[in-house]
Every structure is written in structure tokens, then in C-alpha cells.
Amino acid sequence: MEGDCLSCMKYLMFLFNFFIFLGGACLLGLGIWVIVDPTGFREIVAANPLLFTGAYIMLAMGAMLFLLGFLGCCGAIRENKCLLLFFFMFILLIFLAELSAAILAFIFRENLTREFFTKELKKHYQRNNDTDVFSSTWNSVMITFACCGVNGPEDFEAIPHLPHSSFEKMTPEACCQRELQSREGMFVNREACLTGIERFQNRQGCYTVILNSFETYVYLAGALAIGVLAIELFAMIFAMCLFRGIQ
């Protein structure tokens, strides 16, 4: 009976570590996507020290979970006490680090508010100046999501116009409606848009559009994080039980 219990724990340990391995692979892939994303989100992340740090923490945690899941699987199948002890201590540190990261994310959540992004946009945005990284990134976001500013076109009223402009209101080109939402897409009516005719502009703010677009994925990511924490907790329990059961 004791041998059957040990064998059961061994395969449960392998199963839990396999899920840790998959969770680490997902975090690793997500971290790499955020950092190298071709649509320009990496520049927005780089402009915010908190987001920049968070992206690299996600990348590091994903890599560690990926490696840890692999080592845990090996330790369980081989019944190696040294690997199991190393696994338990390592995963305990990761578990505590993840809890700390979740607490910090909750504490500093105000840095992701509508007001924060509006302030940053008005401070750094240089309209159609694509040589500026911040402006080019915002233009890419507005074109991709068919939106304008954080709250709407009114965000650009306090931003200086381009010199020698022949247009009175000078809405950024990125806010103009296009037949295809990409930089190569043809404008519906560029001149009318730039002079302030609303029906040729994307009037909805990017904050609302992006929030609605990613709302499902945010809840999915939260559920995945809770699942990973639960799996890690069970994996630690089974690792210690297996460690004590191996002769």
C-alpha cells in the first residue's frame, strides 16, 4: 500500500510540474511578446519604469517556472531526493516572489489609470513626429485600434500644432479614419479629418477601446496566475511527501 501511495504521489508530482512547465512557457512567451511586440507597445512599456520592470519580471518568472517544471518532472520520475529538495526550496522562493509581485501590482495600480496616461500623452506627444519614439508608438496604437488619444481628440487641444500648418485644428493623422487600420491604409478623407470634421475622425479614446479589447484576456491572465499559484502550492506539498517517502 505504501508503495502504491508513493507511486501515486510520484505521478501526481509529475502532473503538477508539467502544468508548472506549461505556465512558465506561457509567461515566458507573453513577456517576450511585450518586449519585442512590432506594433510598438514595447515603447510605451519602456516609457513607464513600472511597466518596464514588470515586463522583465514576467520574463524572468516565466523562464524560472519553465526550468523548474522541467527539473520537478525529472526529480519525480527519477525519485531523486536532492532534486526534490532543490525543487521545494526553489519553488517556495518563486511562490513568495509571485505573491509579492501581486501585492505590488495592486498597490501601484494607480499608475495605469486614465489620468496617468492622459498626463503622459500631453507631456510627451509630438503629433506626427515619427522620429520621436513615444509619438510614433502612440500613432501606431491609435491607427491599430482605430482610436484617438486617451479620452478622445480633445486630448490634443493643449498640444502645440506643427509649424506652418495649413489646418486650423490639426488633429493628428493617426486619428483619421482609414479604409484599412494600418499605416498603409488609405484615408477616408484626410483634409476633412485634420480640419476637425468629426465624421472622418476616430472619436473614441484608446483607453476605453484597449480596455474593452483586453478585458477578457486580463481576467484570463488573472485566472491563470491564480491557477499557477495553486498548482505550485500542491507541487510543494507533493514534493515534500515524496521526499519523505523515498528510502
Side-chain angles (χ1 to χ4, degrees):
M1 179 65 71
E2 185 179 347
D4 291 339
C5 288
L6 188 65
S7 179
C8 181
M9 281 191 294
K10 179 174 74 172
Y11 288 109
L12 283 174
M13 175 77 175
F14 177 85
L15 182 63
F16 279 122
N17 277 282
F18 179 71
F19 284 118
I20 290 173
F21 177 83
L22 290 181
C26 290
L27 282 177
L28 187 62
L30 185 60
I32 293 172
W33 176 78
V34 169
I35 292 170
V36 304
D37 175 45
T39 61
F41 284 108
R42 63 182 181 275
E43 308 301 348
I44 291 179
V45 170
N48 186 328
L50 184 64
L51 292 178
F52 183 78
T53 303
Y56 277 95
I57 288 176
M58 184 190 304
L59 190 65
M61 295 302 294
M64 285 191 292
L65 287 175
F66 184 85
L67 177 61
L68 191 62
F70 178 77
L71 291 176
C73 289
C74 291
I77 292 298
R78 291 172 175 254
E79 298 184 9
N80 187 306
K81 296 186 74 171
C82 183
L83 273 178
L84 287 172
L85 184 60
F86 173 76
F87 169 83
F88 177 83
M89 297 302 296
F90 196 20
I91 202 169
L92 178 62
L93 290 175
I94 291 177
F95 183 83
L96 294 175
E98 287 174 341
L99 281 180
S100 301
I103 293 170
L104 286 174
F106 179 78
I107 293 173
F108 292 104
R109 67 190 184 282
E110 65 272 10
N111 285 321
L112 300 177
T113 61
R114 185 188 298 268
E115 291 73 21
F116 172 80
F117 285 113
T118 302
K119 178 183 174 183
E120 291 295 302
L121 180 70
K122 291 181 177 180
K123 182 178 179 181
H124 299 292
Y125 187 69
Q126 299 178 21
R127 294 188 174 269
N128 301 322
N129 181 9
D130 282 338
T131 59
D132 176 67
V133 172
F134 185 89
S135 304
S136 177
T137 299
W138 261 105
N139 288 337
S140 295
V141 169
M142 291 190 290
I143 291 171
T144 301
F145 288 93
C147 55
C148 189
V150 178
N151 308 287
E154 63 273 11
D155 289 343
F156 300 103
E157 292 176 359
I159 299 175
H161 295 176
L162 290 176
H164 311 299
S165 172
S166 59
F167 302 107
E168 294 180 2
K169 296 189 177 181
M170 203 47 211
T171 301
E173 279 188 2
C175 290
C176 296
Q177 292 182 6
R178 297 170 184 252
E179 296 177 1
L180 177 66
Q181 290 307 133
S182 70
R183 285 186 176 271
E184 293 72 33
M186 297 291 293
F187 291 102
V188 175
N189 191 326
R190 178 178 177 274
E191 288 72 19
C193 166
L194 296 180
T195 51
I197 299 177
E198 295 184 3
R199 63 193 178 95
F200 296 110
Q201 297 176 350
N202 297 314
R203 304 291 301 176
Q204 194 169 13
C206 292
Y207 189 88
T208 301
V209 172
I210 294 176
L211 196 63
N212 291 339
S213 299
F214 287 98
E215 186 175 15
T216 303
Y217 300 103
V218 168
Y219 289 124
L220 182 61
L224 178 63
I226 293 172
V228 167
L229 287 174
I231 289 170
E232 288 172 355
L233 184 60
F234 280 109
M236 285 190 290
I237 294 172
F238 282 114
M240 191 49 60
C241 291
L242 189 59
F243 177 83
R244 294 185 63 183
I246 294 174
Q247 301 299 324

